[in-house]
Amino acid sequence: MKRKIIGTLLFMFFVAANLSAISERDSFEGFKEFSFFMGDSIVSYYVGVDTIRIKNRSLGSRANRYDKELHFRKEYEHGVPFMYYTESDARFVESEDSPWGAAPVETRASDSIEKKAMFLKSDYFFLLIHENGDFYYGVKDAYVSWEKHLGAMGARQSSFLKEGGKSYSCDDIGFDFPHHAVQWGKPWAEGANEKGIGEWISFLVPDGAAEAQLHGGLKGFISIGYVDYSRPDLYEKNSRPRIVSVYIDDVFYKDVLLEDTPNYQDITPGKFLTGAEEIKIVIKDVYAGRLYEDACINDIVVLPVVFYGQ
């Protein structure tokens, strides 16, 4: 179902074309770090067991406070991970108790309203998406914001489903973070008979340029299934790839066993890409849908990562 995005994307921090990430290898006080340069400021996410702290600083600032904290619990609906959270914002009040006179004192204010968002992740990034498509997005161990999705990688497909006036082509996939808000219910669905065995998608990995050669490499990630915020049941009702055969420049690389989750998974485990490779993903086996046989892929994204000599 096509959704109309209304209003300002309140949580979309990374639309700017000059966005670039900073590498944060280690955790901080038990929190995993996901940090970015954004213009002349740094936006950092600290993700813990039940808390996400968000810090936005100018490059010259050494302040340690956090602008926002999300306190959450996770639940799965039909195999799709959701986060229910409350948020508190930093506030400053004048204090007369300071020996220097009225000085600002930080407090925390929370509206105590529980919000809901889908929570997708991989080893390198996380994506917290709200119903209207707004999101928080953070990358770990990355050195530049350079995400490319299927629509921007010359994707080809063996077939795609057309149903009820709607097409489920790889050109129509609704995930294009961080450039645009997420559009729900727009996966790729193969259009062949049976369970999609032998159906494929291919794409050309963009040139990694000098950064990939100097600092790291490129990684591709796949999110399987029919993923829709308002219809999480469609994830289990449709088939999902279980085993995919991966080819790099028409040469067989390996069969990859995927977990039954919409979380992002490595397409080429054990290998980093340098750019300009053609990747072909062939469905070899599926997790059978409870109602439909159509095999669906929610998204494929390629981004640069630092691999520290791996």
Side-chain angles (χ1 to χ4, degrees), residues 25-301:
R25 183 173 172 81
D26 301 318
S27 62
F28 177 76
E29 296 181 351
F31 288 77
K32 294 181 180 179
E33 294 186 49
F34 302 82
S35 299
F36 277 88
F37 285 124
M38 187 178 68
D40 63 349
S41 65
I42 300 174
V43 180
S44 299
Y45 298 91
Y46 300 85
V47 182
V49 175
D50 58 5
T51 303
I52 297 177
R53 294 172 174 173
I54 303 172
K55 182 167 65 174
N56 192 339
R57 295 288 173 272
S58 66
L59 297 182
S61 172
R62 296 186 178 182
N64 292 319
R65 68 175 178 83
Y66 300 100
D67 298 302
K68 189 184 295 289
E69 289 186 355
L70 311 183
H71 300 277
F72 65 86
R73 57 185 175 86
K74 289 188 288 185
E75 292 187 4
Y76 287 82
E77 299 181 18
H78 302 279
V80 179
F82 284 90
M83 177 187 291
Y84 293 81
Y85 70 92
T86 57
E87 58 183 299
S88 58
D89 296 319
R91 295 288 187 272
F92 289 89
V93 296
E94 296 295 320
S95 172
E96 297 180 357
D97 299 329
S98 169
W100 299 281
V105 175
E106 180 181 342
T107 64
R108 288 279 169 187
S110 174
D111 57 13
S112 299
I113 298 175
E114 189 171 66
K115 304 174 180 65
K116 178 183 177 182
M118 190 179 293
F119 185 56
L120 303 179
K121 62 183 180 63
S122 75
D123 291 336
Y124 290 92
F125 62 88
F126 78 92
L127 189 63
L128 183 64
I129 326 167
H130 298 85
E131 184 174 15
N132 67 350
D134 298 348
F135 54 83
Y136 290 118
Y137 168 61
V139 181
K140 180 178 174 63
D141 287 351
Y143 51 87
V144 64
S145 184
W146 192 75
E147 298 81 359
K148 300 292 183 182
H149 298 260
L150 280 176
M153 295 191 291
R156 297 185 297 128
Q157 57 204 337
S158 57
S159 66
F160 64 92
L161 178 66
K162 293 182 179 179
E163 186 177 67
K166 180 177 179 180
S167 67
Y168 293 89
S169 166
C170 61
D171 298 325
D172 301 320
I173 285 180
F175 276 58
D176 189 26
F177 63 86
H179 316 291
H180 301 96
V182 167
Q183 298 181 57
W184 297 109
K186 300 185 68 175
W188 172 72
E190 47 78 25
N193 294 324
E194 302 301 327
K195 299 178 180 179
I197 305 302
E199 296 302 295
W200 54 268
I201 284 181
S202 70
F203 58 92
L204 184 65
V205 178
D207 189 352
E211 290 88 351
Q213 305 300 324
L214 292 173
H215 303 291
L218 306 175
K219 269 292 184 185
F221 299 91
I222 185 171
S223 171
I224 62 173
Y226 193 120
V227 179
D228 191 329
Y229 182 101
S230 61
R231 291 291 308 278
D233 58 301
L234 292 176
Y235 179 80
E236 292 183 334
K237 287 181 177 178
N238 287 274
S239 296
R240 293 85 62 198
R242 177 177 177 270
I243 300 175
V244 294
S245 298
V246 179
Y247 294 81
I248 302 177
D249 291 330
D250 291 326
V251 177
F252 175 75
Y253 174 60
K254 65 170 57 176
D255 287 336
V256 179
L257 173 63
L258 301 171
E259 298 180 18
D260 191 5
T261 173
N263 283 322
Y264 284 81
Q265 303 177 65
D266 193 347
I267 296 174
T268 58
K271 183 178 181 62
F272 287 84
L273 305 171
T274 58
E277 300 98 330
E278 183 178 26
I279 306 298
K280 185 176 183 179
I281 299 173
V282 183
I283 299 174
K284 188 174 182 179
D285 191 17
V286 300
Y287 296 102
R290 292 183 176 179
L291 189 59
Y292 308 112
E293 289 189 336
D294 309 312
C296 300
I297 292 177
N298 177 53
D299 184 29
I300 293 177
V301 61

